[in-house]
């Protein structure tokens, strides 16, 4: 019996020791969160690497990102929240936007991208990582452009340009110059935009990034469209399309096709325009690019309207509105309502058409769009004409 008691005491002591060591070796909440964030930072990088392979890799990469998006977001949030007091978390907060640059650009809303990027910018600057800081400055400028906050966009792009000059990095300089061209195009300062794009094309062959020339040609083509130089625009978009296909970049190819469709429509080459829009739509659906799909349906609506196919225009604009609602894109929905309203009035469905015009005006007024008063007068005038008829 005494031997049995000694054995039991020994086992109890061993169990207590194992338990104590087990508790000491258990991962802390911080360790578990760090491991989770590190894993999903790798997942994000893998998604972007798939995307960069081009072709079917783009579709696979975006699908892989979508499957893991929630955990990726949780990982980034933890790293951002703990960056001030945890070096490992700070490193991850810096890396998250860079690891998934392509997927995040296509999947995140600009406001969410800005939040990630501003935290990363602070860390890159504090650590003296000049090239990372330059890359992040450019991405922030693009996000503010999408939100039409042009002074902020210019501020970030100019900062990127100056940093590129100090680093003697032509590739980053070309990227910043191209982005500035986009802002000046949006501001309708077309000659200034054209100067930036031309400067980029001059040095594009000296950079290691083949997509810089692709972007410059595409953006220069958009300037030519605004200037009424439609044949020059077609030439630029054809260059853009060839380069996008060579690089296997489906998203860029889709943009080039859409822009070719717009230019051909301006030249009254309607069959070619329709074909380009349809080719672009196929890619939109492959990539689940709802925004691109919505824009293409809008252009198809304009094309059908111009050809007098009002029923086809109605279908296209209705599809455009449905996609805007799905994306919770109030501005896109308002534009679609205005376009559909005009077509319905042509079809003598005046009541429905006028309601849609005023729906667009209500949105413009609610967001302080200066166009709302002029559009309200137009809608009111159309209503008076309909009532008279």
């Amino acid at each position: 019996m005494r031997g049995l008691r000694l054995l039991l005491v020994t086992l109890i002591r061993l169990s207590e020791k194992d338990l104590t060591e087990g508790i000491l070796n258990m991962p802390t909440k911080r360790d578990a969160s760090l491991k989770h964030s590190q894993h999903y930072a790798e997942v994000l990088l893998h998604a972007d690497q798939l995307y960069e392979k081009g072709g079917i890799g783009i579709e696979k990469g975006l699908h892989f990102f979508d499957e893991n998006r929630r955990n990726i977001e949780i990982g980034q949030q933890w790293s951002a929240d703990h960056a001030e007091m945890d070096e490992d978390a700070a490193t991850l907060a810096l890396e998250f936007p860079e690891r998934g640059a392509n997927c995040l650009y296509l999947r995140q809303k600009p406001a969410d991208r800005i939040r990630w990027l501003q935290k990363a910018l602070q860390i890159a600057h504090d650590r003296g990582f000049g090239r990372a800081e330059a890359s992040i400055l450019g991405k922030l400028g693009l996000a503010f452009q999408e939100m039409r906050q042009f002074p902020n966009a210019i501020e970030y792009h100019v900062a990127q340009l100056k940093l590129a000059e100090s680093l003697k990095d032509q590739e980053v300089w070309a990227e910043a110059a191209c982005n500035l061209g986009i802002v000046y195009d949006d501001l309708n300062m077309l000659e200034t935009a054209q100067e930036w794009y031309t400067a980029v094309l001059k040095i594009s062959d000296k950079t290691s990034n083949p997509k810089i020339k692709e972007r410059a040609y595409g953006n220069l083509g958009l300037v030519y469209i605004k200037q009424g130089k439609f044949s020059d625009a077609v030439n630029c978009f054809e260059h853009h399309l060839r380069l996008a296909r060579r690089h296997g970049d489906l998203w860029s190819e889709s943009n080039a096709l859409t822009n070719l469709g717009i230019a051909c429509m301006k030249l009254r080459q309607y069959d070619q325009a329709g074909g380009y829009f349809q080719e672009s739509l196929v890619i939109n659906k492959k990539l689940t690019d709802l925004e691109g799909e919505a824009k293409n349906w809008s252009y198809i609506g304009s094309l059908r309207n111009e050809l007098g196919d009002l029923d086809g225009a109605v279908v296209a604009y209705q599809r455009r509105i449905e996609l805007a609602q799905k994306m919770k894109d109030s501005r896109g929905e308002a534009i679609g309502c205005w376009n559909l309203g005009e077509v319905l009035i042509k079809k003598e469905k005046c009541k429905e058409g006028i309601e849609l015009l005023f729906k667009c005006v209500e949105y413009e007024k609610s967001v302080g769009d200066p166009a709302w008063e002029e559009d309200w007068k137009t809608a009111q005038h159309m209503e008076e004409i309909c009532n008279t008829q």
Side-chain angles (χ1 to χ4, degrees), residues 54-300:
I56 193 66
I58 292 177
E59 194 176 346
K60 286 181 177 178
L62 289 171
H63 181 67
F64 189 62
F65 173 83
D66 291 338
E67 284 184 330
N68 293 281
R69 180 170 185 167
R70 181 62 187 140
N71 279 306
I72 290 169
E73 289 172 342
I74 290 170
Q76 189 280 335
Q77 187 66 58
W78 178 86
S79 67
D81 290 344
H82 293 80
E84 299 298 327
M85 70 287 292
D86 190 314
E87 284 293 306
D88 292 328
T91 298
L92 284 167
L94 170 61
E95 291 180 355
F96 262 102
E98 292 294 294
R99 285 178 176 236
N102 295 300
C103 293
L104 294 171
Y105 182 78
L106 291 174
R107 289 300 193 245
Q108 275 188 323
K109 291 186 177 179
D112 294 327
R113 229 178 311 144
I114 287 168
R115 180 168 49 81
W116 285 31
L117 288 164
Q118 284 179 330
K119 174 58 73 173
L121 180 65
Q122 174 195 333
I123 298 163
H125 182 75
D126 290 345
R127 292 185 174 183
F129 294 170
R131 282 181 168 75
E133 185 178 351
S135 175
I136 295 164
L137 284 167
K139 291 179 177 67
L140 275 163
L142 288 171
F144 278 111
Q145 275 175 243
E146 286 181 60
M147 296 179 74
R148 306 191 71 76
Q149 295 181 17
F150 299 124
N152 287 335
I154 290 172
E155 178 187 341
Y156 281 110
H157 290 320
V158 169
Q160 184 189 25
L161 200 71
K162 289 178 179 176
L163 187 52
E165 287 171 352
S166 70
L167 295 169
K168 295 182 171 54
D169 191 321
Q170 285 189 311
E171 183 174 321
V172 174
W173 189 93
E175 181 186 318
C178 208
N179 291 337
L180 274 169
I182 298 170
V183 179
Y184 287 116
D185 183 356
D186 285 339
L187 291 169
N188 225 31
M189 298 170 66
L190 301 182
E191 288 184 8
T192 306
Q194 188 173 346
E195 287 169 8
W196 282 113
Y197 296 141
T198 303
V200 172
L201 285 171
K202 283 180 181 176
I203 70 162
S204 60
D205 289 330
K206 299 176 185 177
T207 67
S208 59
N209 185 353
K211 292 185 180 180
I212 285 174
K213 181 185 282 191
E214 181 185 323
R215 286 184 64 208
Y217 269 125
N219 292 331
L220 182 58
L222 293 173
V223 170
Y224 283 141
I225 281 185
K226 285 188 176 181
Q227 292 174 331
K229 300 174 181 177
F230 304 128
S231 295
D232 289 337
V234 167
N235 183 47
C236 281
F237 296 142
E238 285 175 344
H239 275 296
H240 178 190
L241 182 62
R242 280 195 295 273
L243 290 167
R245 284 175 171 166
R246 186 186 302 167
H247 304 145
D249 188 338
L250 282 176
W251 186 81
S252 187
E253 181 182 344
S254 172
N255 274 349
L257 288 164
T258 297
N259 290 333
L260 270 168
I262 295 167
C264 287
M265 195 160 64
K266 296 289 187 182
L267 289 167
R268 299 183 183 279
Q269 297 171 357
Y270 298 122
D271 287 344
Q272 293 97 314
Y276 286 131
F277 292 141
Q278 290 297 335
E279 278 189 77
S280 185
L281 266 179
V282 171
I283 297 174
N284 296 150
K285 288 172 181 173
K286 269 188 182 180
L287 300 179
T288 324
D289 178 8
L290 299 183
E291 185 177 351
E293 188 178 349
K295 286 178 180 176
N296 273 314
W297 279 116
S298 189
Y299 292 129
I300 291 168

Side-chain angles (χ1 to χ4, degrees), residues 36-49 64 92 95-96 99:
H36 176 276
S37 297
Q38 288 171 332
H39 173 72
Y40 282 99
E42 287 297 318
V43 166
L44 177 57
L45 177 62
H46 181 60
D48 228 53
Q49 287 171 336
F64 189 62
L92 284 167
E95 291 180 355
F96 262 102
R99 285 178 176 236

